[in-house]
Amino acid sequence: MSDERDTLSEFVVATAAKSGVPGAAVGVWVDGQEIYGCHGVTSVENPLPVD
């Protein structure tokens, strides 16, 4: 499962950078397992970590 999580995390980082957003979180439920990826902050004005 860590390979899937790493792949999703890499996708989230790349997509957030490409889209110009300060942060993003994505979660997927697959075969009874939750896989998620988070990156960045909630906003530039109020930079709380996205988790």
Side-chain angles (χ1 to χ4, degrees):
M1 177 158 103
S2 72
D3 288 340
E4 291 89 355
R5 185 173 293 156
D6 291 343
T7 300
L8 183 58
S9 292
E10 291 170 8
F11 172 79
V12 171
V13 170
T15 303
K18 182 179 177 181
S19 300
V21 296
V26 175
V28 181
W29 187 263
V30 177
D31 295 329
Q33 299 284 331
E34 179 185 49
I35 302 170
Y36 59 89
C38 303
H39 168 72
V41 294
T42 55
S43 74
V44 176
E45 294 83 24
N46 187 25
L48 300 173
V50 173
D51 57 2

